[in-house]
Amino acid sequence: MNNNEKQTQKNSTKGKLTLAMTAGAVVGGAFVLVRNPSARTRLKETSGSTKNTVSQYISNVKADPAGAKNQLVDRIQKTASITREAVNKIQDILDNEGKEITNRVQEVKEESEEIVSTAKEASDELKEVGDKVGEAKDELTESKEDKQQALANDENLSIVEDDEHEIKKTIKPN
């Protein structure tokens, strides 16, 4: 398939989609009008009002074409001027607030980096404390084993322990 055939097929698909959407909108609108009498009344009033407004505008244009043209040009110029002002205000807001947002984001980033750094330091310190606790445990375990070894070597010595005290008692042979 060459590019022209692809483009033709693409345009055909777009046309079918547009037609289907339009048909769906018309059918949906007709359904609403059939089912809802107040919608029919509103549609009649709105279309009548629109017809009167358009008729009045056409009459004004026929009566004074130059004046109607000037009015339309003035309205377009005023609309363009208002739109330019709005765009300029939006641009000013984006410029000023954008800088503010950028500064705040930078502050949050720096604070986050500080927090991560502090957490890493605390982690290292806690690891050192854990190592010290392990050494203390080993020391206590070795000390208890030494006492038991001494007991085994000296049959005349007995050690009695509770949670807070250690009592050494020498047993005299009979």
Side-chain angles (χ1 to χ4, degrees):
M1 208 185 272
N2 66 24
N3 286 341
N4 288 337
E5 290 175 347
K6 288 180 183 177
Q7 188 65 29
T8 304
Q9 186 179 12
K10 196 178 205 181
N11 289 342
S12 174
T13 304
K14 284 183 181 178
K16 288 178 184 177
L17 178 62
T18 303
L19 180 62
M21 289 174 62
T22 303
V26 169
V27 169
F31 181 75
V32 168
L33 291 176
V34 168
R35 300 274 299 161
N36 191 346
S38 65
R40 281 193 306 265
T41 305
R42 263 185 303 167
L43 180 63
K44 286 179 187 176
E45 291 171 358
T46 303
S47 62
S49 172
T50 303
K51 177 185 169 195
N52 291 338
T53 303
V54 170
S55 297
Q56 182 64 35
Y57 184 73
I58 291 172
S59 298
N60 289 343
V61 169
K62 284 181 181 177
D64 184 17
K69 177 189 154 210
N70 291 339
Q71 270 186 331
L72 183 60
V73 168
D74 287 344
R75 287 176 61 191
I76 291 172
Q77 287 175 344
K78 286 179 183 176
T79 302
S81 175
I82 291 170
T83 304
R84 272 192 298 274
E85 287 177 22
V87 167
N88 289 337
K89 283 186 179 184
I90 290 170
Q91 188 62 46
D92 288 344
I93 290 170
L94 288 176
D95 289 344
N96 295 333
E97 297 302 320
K99 289 176 186 174
E100 178 77 20
I101 290 170
T102 301
N103 290 341
R104 299 248 182 198
V105 166
Q106 186 62 32
E107 289 174 10
V108 168
K109 179 182 172 190
E110 289 170 0
E111 288 176 7
S112 296
E113 289 171 353
E114 288 178 24
I115 290 170
V116 168
S117 175
T118 302
K120 284 181 181 177
E121 289 174 10
S123 173
D124 292 343
E125 290 175 7
L126 287 173
K127 185 178 179 197
E128 289 176 16
V129 169
D131 292 344
K132 293 291 183 187
V133 168
E135 288 176 22
K137 177 186 168 205
D138 291 343
E139 184 63 34
L140 285 174
T141 305
E142 287 175 13
S143 172
K144 196 171 191 178
E145 288 173 356
D146 289 345
K147 289 177 190 175
Q148 290 173 350
Q149 184 65 33
L151 263 176
N153 292 340
D154 188 3
E155 295 176 6
N156 294 333
L157 183 63
S158 170
I159 299 176
V160 179
E161 294 183 54
D162 63 13
D163 289 341
E164 296 179 18
H165 303 87
E166 178 180 299
I167 301 171
K168 294 181 183 177
K169 181 170 140 183
T170 304
I171 303 172
K172 294 184 181 178
N174 291 345

